[in-house]
Amino acid sequence: MKADQIDDVVKLLREAYRGFVEPVVTQVAKDKDPYKVLISTILSLRTKDETTLRASIRLFDIADNIYKLNELNEDEIERLIYPVGFYKTKAKNLKKIARIIIENYGGKIPDDLDELLKLPNVGRKTANLVLAKGFGKPAICVDIHVHRISNRLGLVDTKTPEETEFALSKILPKKYWIEFNDLLVPFGQNICRPISPFCSKCIISKYCKRKGVNKSR
Ligand code: SF4
């Protein structure tokens, strides 16, 4: 795929998107609340979407802002978020995050990449998602789906999600930065699957170099 075909591919992915279930963080992000985007994204790491959604709802019912989260103890957070992956470590880190945000940022989630990256359990993927979905700032959230599909398409040639983020930031028009993750995550879950993608029913196959794809359906 060439960079000048991005407009066409995005249009087709938007069409495909209508038939998919939205990723959980996209659902949570409808409130445009950076706190909820941050916490849900942390819960979603190594966790299935349905589990993340249920855990987010339970937690936000009790703690819909950083101050209420800070009032909970680790055991209470653990109980509310169980069974998300690494729930014990996440409970510990959520408690720490609440304290840091209140003490160092006046209770407001920072809208700055470097500041977000200082928080425990927050890597580039989470930080960029908070900027994009919580604050509406142009940021490319590269998770395993965005990384894998961008490489298969031949849009980038990279080894890590971080390299993909930097490569995409050079070729992807800024108007698509926020949306790109939304489009590629459900597409990766449903069509361009990690093992044996459904190339025969792929809406963007004519643009794809299928780099690294040895087996497909
Ligand atoms: S053609 Fe296959 S490898 Fe390429 S984007 Fe579609 S499903 Fe993925």
Side-chain angles (χ1 to χ4, degrees):
M1 178 187 166
K2 298 189 190 106
D4 62 3
Q5 295 171 326
I6 287 174
D7 288 334
D8 294 337
V9 166
V10 167
K11 263 187 220 142
L12 288 167
L13 287 172
R14 281 179 186 154
E15 269 176 42
Y17 183 83
R18 287 191 213 117
F20 299 140
V21 175
E22 285 182 320
V24 64
V25 178
T26 309
Q27 294 179 41
V28 170
K30 293 216 164 105
D31 288 354
K32 296 208 180 332
D33 179 344
Y35 162 75
K36 288 186 179 172
V37 176
L38 173 64
I39 303 303
S40 267
T41 307
I42 291 171
L43 295 181
S44 77
L45 305 171
R46 307 249 176 170
T47 304
K48 287 193 174 136
D49 266 14
E50 312 86 75
T51 309
T52 304
L53 184 60
R54 284 197 291 272
S56 300
I57 290 169
R58 278 195 303 275
L59 182 62
F60 297 151
D61 268 352
I62 307 286
D64 63 356
N65 63 55
I66 202 82
Y67 292 97
K68 289 187 188 163
L69 179 64
N70 193 45
E71 281 164 16
L72 299 176
N73 64 39
E74 249 177 70
D75 290 345
E76 289 169 317
I77 299 175
E78 254 184 42
R79 267 201 303 280
L80 288 164
I81 67 173
Y82 177 84
V84 301
F86 302 97
Y87 66 95
K88 280 180 186 289
T89 310
K90 286 179 183 172
K92 197 175 290 182
N93 284 333
L94 292 187
K95 183 75 191 156
K96 279 189 200 157
I97 286 175
R99 188 179 41 77
I100 295 169
I101 300 273
I102 290 169
E103 286 178 4
N104 299 356
Y105 300 97
K108 290 198 166 52
I109 310 296
D111 62 349
D112 177 88
L113 183 71
D114 293 329
E115 296 303 318
L116 286 165
L117 289 173
K118 289 179 188 167
L119 300 171
N121 235 160
V122 175
R124 295 191 73 86
K125 172 187 141 178
T126 301
N128 278 316
L129 205 57
V130 172
L131 291 177
K133 294 278 163 196
F135 292 101
K137 288 189 160 190
I140 308 172
C141 170
V142 177
D143 66 354
I144 44 162
H145 297 292
V146 176
H147 175 60
R148 178 180 72 255
I149 299 166
S150 299
N151 273 282
R152 282 178 174 172
L153 286 169
L155 201 49
V156 300
D157 182 10
T158 54
K159 297 272 181 290
T160 65
E162 192 164 318
E163 284 176 23
T164 301
E165 183 195 327
F166 293 125
L168 283 175
S169 70
K170 293 196 184 108
I171 53 168
L172 191 67
K174 257 194 179 157
K175 61 182 174 182
Y176 298 136
W177 284 20
I178 295 178
E179 184 184 13
F180 207 57
N181 179 278
D182 278 342
L183 294 174
L184 291 195
V185 171
F187 183 70
Q189 289 167 337
N190 291 279
I191 303 290
C192 195
R193 302 274 289 267
I195 298 163
S196 190
F198 290 101
C199 297
S200 62
K201 52 178 177 180
C202 174
I203 199 167
I204 56 172
S205 59
K206 74 169 179 176
Y207 299 99
C208 183
K209 291 198 175 140
R210 301 178 72 229
K211 270 173 51 189
V213 176
N214 302 317
K215 204 173 115 197
S216 66
R217 290 175 266 184

